[in-house]
Amino acid sequence: MDDKNIEDHKKPEASKEQPPSIGDELARQGFLGGDEVNKAMALEFGMPLYPDLSGFRISKERLKQIPYSFAKKNIIYPVKEENNIVYIAISDPLHLEPLEELYHMLDSEVQAVYSSKETILAAINELYNREHGAASELMANLKDRGEEGRGDGEVEVYDLLDDTHHQAPLVKLLNLILTEAIQQGASDIHFEPFEDRLRVRYRIDGVLQNRHSPAQEFQAQLMTRIKVMAKLDIAEHRLPQDGRIKLKMGRREIDFRVSTVPVSGGERIVLRILDKGNVILGLDKIGMLPTVFDEFKRLIALPEGIILVTGPTGSGKTTTLYSAICEMYNEETNIMTIEDPVEYNLHGIAQIGVQPKIRLTFATGLRHILRQDPDIIMIGEIRDAETAEIAIQASLTGHLVLSTLHTNDAPSAITRLVDMNVEPYLLSSTLVGILAQRLVRKICPECQEVYHPSDSELRSIGLNADFLQGGQLYHGKGCPSCFGSGYKGRLGIYELMVVNNTLKKQIVKSPDAVELRRLALDTGMISLLTHGSHLVKQGVTTVAEVLRVTRGIEEEG
C-alpha cells in the first residue's frame, strides 16, 4: 500500500450531519448553554442578530436553488435578498463551509447572520411546507406520465418535506396529499376507488370533505405505495389488512394507522392521522362548563370507583381520559393504562397496547395490571362482560378505574353494562360518575356573520329570542380559510351524571335509561343540548351543528 493509499485509508467517513458547534459541545459538557456561546461569538465576529425569522420570505426561484435536505443538514435559513446579496441565518458562527457551497449554488454573494438553532429549524419547517393546492397541481401535471410512477421501493421512516431524492411523481403526489392533510388538520384520509376514478377525502373537524380525484390509471400505484409504506402484503387484494406508517414532517413525528378493505371498485384505504404535535391535553382546555369542570375534578380525585366517558367514535373520549390522567399524575401515584392502540405516549405513565394476536386482550392485560400495584387504571374501552367484571372488581378492591363506552348519553351507559350481565347492585356501589360528550365545530372567525334565527330553530335547542342580544345568532358563510364549510376547529360539549344516592336506588330498582335521565336532570345534570345552547348563544357554534351531534338523544321535555 503506497503513501497515498495509507492517507486515504486514514480519512474518516464524511459525516452526514453538521458537526456539533463549540457552543453545543460546551453545553453537552455542562459548562454553558450552546446558544449563549454561539451568540457571543456571532457578536464578536460582527454578525447581525436575528432572534425572529417568522417575518422573512425569500423568492420561490431562490428557494428552489436551496434543497430542503441541505438547509436542514447544515441548519441554515435564507432570510432575504437585497442588492443581489442573499442573507443566510446560521446557528454556528464557525461552521462556514455551507456558505461557500451556497455561493456556488446561488451564483450570488452570501452574507451570514446569526439566529439560534431552534429558531432556524422551526423557520425551515415552515418555509418548506407545501402550499395549499400543491397536490392538485401535481395531479394536473401527471397526465401522460403514468409509467414514471412505477418501481418505487419500500420506505420505512422518511421526511415528507424532503423531495430531493428524485422520487417518482406518484411518490411525490402521495407525500403532498399526506402533507396537505396534516396541514389542514385532518384526522383521517380516505382513498375511495370507483369504476372511473379514485376519490380522496379528508375528515376535518369530524366531517368528510372532498379534496382530490386522481385518474383511474394512478389508483393501483397509489394504493400499492401506501401498502408498501405500511408493510402490508401488496399481493393480497381479497382480505382486509391493518398496518402502521411512521413518518416525519420536518421535526414532527406523525403516525398513521392504515386500514384496507376490498370493495367493488378495488381496495378502499383509510389512514387515521395520529399527530402528537396537534393534541391539546388538559381538562381546562377541552371546553367544560365551570360547574362540570369542578365536579369532574372532584370525581377523579376519589380514591376508588369507576368513572366512564361515553360517546360515539371520534367524540374526543381518549383526549378527555388522557387529560384526566395528566391532571392526576404525580410522583406518588402509580397510573397504568391498557389501550387499543396506545395513541399518544404520556410522560411517567405505564401504557400497555392490546395485541389480540398474542392473546393480550383488555381482560388479560387488566388482570396483569392488577398485580402491578396500581392506584389508577385506565381501560381504553369496556367491550365485553369479562372486562366489565374485572373493572368492577378492581374498583371494589380500592382502585380508581377510568374507561369508555360507546353510548348516546350518560344514563345509557348503565343500561349497556346491565345488558353485559353486570349486576345492577354492583354498578350502584362502584359507579361514581359518567361523562357523555360530543365535539361541535366552531364558527370560522374569518367569515362569521350575524343572522336572525326563526322561532322553530330556537325552540329546537331550547332558546328564546328574548334572551338573545338583538335576537341575533351567528354562522359562517364559508371562505378559503375554512374551505367553504363555515367552521374551523372543534370544542367539546359535555353532560356529567354524578351517581348520587337517588340514582343508586334507581339503578338497583330498575336501570331504565329514560328514568335515570329524568332523575339526573332533576338533580342538576346539565344536558349535552343545554351545553350546546350556551355555545350557540355565545356565538361559538351554530344551532345546526349542535343538533347534528346530539341527534337521537332523549330530550328533557
Side-chain angles (χ1 to χ4, degrees), residues 345-361:
N345 294 320
L346 302 176
H347 173 70
I349 310 296
Q351 296 172 271
I352 301 169
V354 166
Q355 298 185 58
K357 289 179 182 177
I358 58 171
R359 298 180 182 176
L360 177 56
T361 62

Side-chain angles (χ1 to χ4, degrees), residues 442-461:
K442 297 191 291 185
I443 298 169
C444 173
E446 302 292 328
C447 60
Q448 186 184 55
E449 64 178 12
V450 170
Y451 79 104
H452 291 274
S454 64
D455 290 340
S456 61
E457 187 180 0
L458 291 173
R459 279 197 304 272
S460 64
I461 59 166

Side-chain angles (χ1 to χ4, degrees), residues 226-237:
I226 294 170
K227 290 170 79 171
V228 166
M229 293 169 70
K231 296 183 180 172
L232 302 178
D233 185 352
I234 61 173
E236 179 57 75
H237 303 287

